[in-house]
Amino acid sequence: MSALVCTECQARHPLTAPIWRCRCGGLLDIVHTPKLDPAAVAKLPPTPHAQPITMGEGFTPLLPIKLERVRFLAKLDQLFPTGSFKDRGAAVLMSQVAALRIRTVVEDSSGNAGCAIAAYGARARIVCHIYVPSANSPGKLAQIAAYGARLHRVPGTRQNTADATLAAAEKAYYASHVWNPFFFEGTKTWAYEVCEQMGWRAPDAVVLPVGNGSLLLGAAIGFRELRDMGIIGDVPRLIGVQAEGCAPLAQAYKQGLAEPTLVEAAQTVAEGIAIAAPVRGRQILEAIHASRGTVLTVDDDALAAVQHALAQQGLYVEPTAAAGPAGVVRVRQLGVLPAGATVVTSLTGHGLKTLHA
Ligand SMILES: Cc1ncc(COP(=O)(O)O)c(C=O)c1O
Ligand SMILES: [Zn+2]
């Protein structure tokens, strides 16, 4: 039976419960038994939700790229309706919110998740209160406001914004891309698409930017389901990429810790992954260890160089979205993977979002 399951007290709640965390305060995961017939997908895509809130998103191109003599594949997730991969999660989460007949939600974000929740909220006529750090990209804040969401600018760090939102979530449903497990049911489609586009095979490794892990954990869920259904042999190695200036997961990985280390709120051009205290940090580290992956860091100079090099090939991404490709190059420099390994990353956000930068 499908259910929401608490990661702390193991309590089970029905999928239709209008909750975003357990009574005990614990993080919720979704358990269910996936069923997929690749042959049927080719004929007719399955309809996952009775009344989806959708803009026809998904199935972004999987493009071969060469950077500093390194060859890899990248999902062009900057091409989503709101310009980032966060639409994967927002489409599923806001479909669930609409089905539950919830009329008002709160969400906090460095910008892109806020854009996605606000856009899908607008389509479903759900009132969205979006909390953002006041110093983040003005383009993202303008985009959130354009969708008609109520924008709350919070001075200080990303953590200050998260704290303000948790307080607001005492009274409203928290459409969180971190806490809410339905968001990960959307981001897991990244793994399904990669496999389908590779002829129902998994790559050897995936290299993904990681702040709160909404893409990396979604990918982990998707690949695990594909493995459990016997469609792929094994989960690819999951390699997380953090900014040198804010790397609680990379530090924990290096030190062999199960929980992220405490870091100072940091200065980095990669605002999307400047997360000092990732709520699902333990889960992220577990998923990486289970796949024999790793977490590495890239500095702002490397991000700027890769952002520029991609633009020279026609691919305009925001600084945070250079982290995946920069991580692939780093993986090669460090010799983490055997030569000839197939590696897939994502261009997670559009360059038009950060024109001021
Ligand atoms: C462009 C971009 N890439 C990657 C990420 C990282 O996502 P997560 O924090 O869920 O790991 C974000 C998050 O906001 C983002 O905006
Ligand atoms: Zn619980």
Side-chain angles (χ1 to χ4, degrees), residues 1-339:
M1 270 289 283
S2 304
L4 296 163
V5 176
C6 176
T7 58
E8 297 293 332
C9 74
Q10 273 69 52
R12 290 172 82 91
H13 311 270
L15 280 184
T16 50
I19 56 173
W20 55 271
R21 69 178 162 195
C22 183
R23 264 179 245 108
C24 78
L27 278 166
L28 296 172
D29 282 343
I30 290 174
V31 291
H32 78 127
T33 311
K35 269 195 220 104
L36 180 75
D37 172 7
V41 173
K43 288 187 217 116
L44 186 74
T47 32
H49 204 280
Q51 280 179 303
I53 305 301
T54 182
M55 294 189 252
E57 62 289 318
F59 224 73
T60 52
L62 181 67
L63 190 75
I65 294 179
K66 192 175 158 198
L67 212 61
E68 297 184 26
R69 294 194 300 278
V70 181
R71 286 177 195 280
F72 57 93
L73 297 159
K75 289 282 281 175
L76 304 191
D77 280 355
Q78 83 277 28
L79 302 181
F80 268 96
T82 77
S84 91
F85 79 92
K86 301 279 187 185
D87 291 1
R88 295 182 184 278
V92 173
L93 173 53
M94 296 310 272
S95 294
Q96 177 69 3
V97 170
L100 294 173
R101 301 192 187 284
I102 289 166
R103 303 313 315 161
T104 305
V105 301
V106 298
E107 157 73 323
D108 58 318
S109 138
S110 69
N112 283 332
C115 290
I117 294 293
Y120 286 80
R123 287 196 75 74
R125 295 180 213 276
I126 291 162
V127 177
C128 299
H129 290 266
I130 311 288
Y131 292 71
V132 288
S134 52
N136 276 35
S137 287
K140 293 177 187 173
L141 307 197
Q143 191 182 353
I144 292 167
Y147 294 127
R150 317 283 160 82
L151 188 63
H152 302 261
R153 296 154 177 265
V154 184
T157 64
R158 177 68 180 82
Q159 191 58 43
N160 295 137
T161 300
D163 294 343
T165 318
L166 267 175
E170 295 295 331
K171 295 198 195 89
Y173 187 77
Y174 194 4
S176 170
H177 63 289
V178 184
W179 281 90
N180 203 303
F182 285 96
F183 198 90
F184 298 85
E185 290 298 297
T187 51
K188 80 181 186 190
T189 58
W190 190 86
Y192 278 78
E193 290 177 19
V194 167
C195 284
E196 183 173 355
Q197 288 167 309
M198 293 181 63
W200 296 107
R201 272 192 299 272
D204 297 310
V206 302
V207 179
L208 297 171
V210 54
N212 272 311
S214 68
L215 183 54
L216 188 134
L217 282 174
I221 293 169
F223 285 123
R224 259 184 247 143
E225 290 183 355
L226 289 159
R227 178 199 59 197
D228 293 348
M229 289 185 285
I231 294 170
I232 62 171
D234 214 346
V235 173
R237 293 169 77 171
L238 303 171
I239 300 177
V241 187
Q242 295 218 283
E244 186 97 28
C246 188
L249 297 164
Q251 285 178 13
Y253 182 85
K254 217 182 198 170
Q255 295 167 31
L257 305 174
E259 294 276 358
T261 55
L262 284 175
V263 300
E264 290 288 311
Q267 285 297 321
T268 167
V269 291
E271 62 186 5
I273 49 174
I275 306 294
V279 169
R280 291 187 184 262
R282 172 179 280 272
Q283 274 188 338
I284 296 168
L285 289 166
E286 270 171 16
I288 287 170
H289 275 293
S291 74
R292 297 173 304 114
T294 185
V295 194
L296 31 94
T297 59
V298 292
D299 63 23
D300 282 4
D301 289 344
L303 290 172
V306 166
Q307 187 188 19
H308 178 73
L310 287 171
Q312 297 298 303
Q313 300 183 26
L315 299 163
Y316 189 37
V317 301
E318 65 172 288
T320 305
V328 176
V329 173
R330 193 95 189 96
V331 160
R332 280 283 179 252
Q333 287 167 347
L334 296 172
V336 173
L337 296 172

